[in-house]
Amino acid sequence: MDMGQLDAVQIRVLGVLIEKERTVPDTYPLSINGLLAGCNQKSSREPVMELTEGDIIAAIDALKQNGWVIDHLSARVAKYSHQFGKVLQIPSQSVAALAVLMLRGPQTAGELRNNCERLHRFADISAIEAFLQELAERPSGALVKLLPRQPGSREPRWAHLLAGDVELPIASHLPSSENQLGLLTRIEELEAQLAELKSEFVALKTQLGA
């Protein structure tokens, strides 16, 4: 299955279904209203979204076509459950880790372990790193990748690949070599101007007899 088929709303819906299955099993499967509340939740979400009922329904319809989600019809209201682990053929520990990445964005292994606590309790960082490594080296296609460590960060972050590869903005806290040369040139110019102003000031004081 082409991972690029999943968009941001579909990923949020899947993440919420996985999360709520484990944290509030009594209300799972979820109704459209339950999904809407979970998707627009302000806490434990990055980014925070403001989806409509129509957005949720469209995402559910697309996910059902590809087997990610199944519905449970009843006399009162339709409810939905995910088939995430079954579709990808990965263990529940990996499902938990991916769900948190889907809901909260890129994280370090330590952050991910802490944030996974309610979905699955990993014994230590090395335990979650082992599952992440398996997901990154999956023969049928990587599901996560380790991002380059950003300037000012002590540890690299992991990101999911369910919407395709992760493109990082080209940014740096330090100026490039070309910019550094430009800054040095500008500093020299300002120093020269300052020296000229000092010379003119001294000459002016002399003329005034100060």
Side-chain angles (χ1 to χ4, degrees):
M1 182 177 293
D2 181 8
M3 295 296 102
Q5 291 177 357
L6 297 181
D7 63 25
V9 179
Q10 293 164 10
I11 288 170
R12 176 57 57 88
V13 166
L14 281 171
V16 169
L17 285 172
I18 297 167
E19 178 190 62
K20 301 307 181 185
E21 177 190 26
R22 303 192 183 199
T23 58
V24 285
D26 291 344
T27 62
Y28 184 85
L30 297 182
S31 65
I32 292 294
N33 284 340
L35 272 168
L36 186 61
C39 288
N40 290 341
Q41 193 174 301
K42 297 293 189 269
S43 61
S44 305
R45 300 289 184 267
E46 179 59 42
V48 171
M49 292 182 167
E50 294 184 5
L51 303 178
T52 65
E53 185 174 309
D55 295 329
I56 302 295
I57 292 172
I60 285 289
D61 287 343
L63 292 168
K64 284 168 59 179
Q65 290 177 10
N66 291 321
W68 293 99
V69 167
I70 58 175
D71 51 20
H72 303 263
L73 300 176
S74 67
R76 293 191 303 168
V77 63
K79 292 192 174 184
Y80 305 92
S81 63
H82 72 87
Q83 299 287 293
F84 193 79
K86 183 177 180 180
V87 169
L88 296 176
Q89 297 184 328
I90 56 175
S92 62
Q93 298 95 321
S94 297
V95 171
L98 276 168
V100 174
L101 288 174
M102 293 156 70
L103 292 172
R104 293 177 177 240
Q107 298 156 72
T108 67
E111 291 170 338
L112 190 54
R113 176 178 175 249
N114 291 336
N115 292 332
C116 276
E117 190 73 14
R118 296 176 65 208
L119 278 65
H120 178 83
R121 181 170 294 179
F122 290 92
D124 49 37
I125 292 180
S126 62
I128 195 168
E129 284 178 336
F131 282 100
L132 289 168
Q133 203 62 44
E134 286 183 4
L135 291 171
E137 298 173 356
R138 192 165 165 266
S140 56
L143 294 174
V144 299
K145 72 181 291 186
L146 187 61
L147 304 176
R149 187 173 63 83
Q150 295 294 289
S153 300
R154 292 190 299 176
E155 298 178 43
R157 299 179 301 161
W158 290 87
H160 73 78
L161 300 176
L162 293 165
D165 198 8
V166 179
E167 296 294 336
L168 291 177
I170 299 174
S172 173
H173 292 160
L174 297 175
S176 65
S177 297
E178 184 178 345
N179 287 339
Q180 287 178 341
L181 289 174
L183 287 172
L184 289 174
T185 301
R186 181 60 179 156
I187 290 172
E188 290 174 355
E189 291 175 351
L190 290 172
E191 288 177 340
Q193 291 174 6
L194 181 60
E196 186 177 347
L197 287 172
K198 284 183 176 179
S199 177
E200 291 177 353
F201 180 67
V202 170
L204 181 62
K205 286 178 66 178
T206 302
Q207 292 177 3
L208 295 174

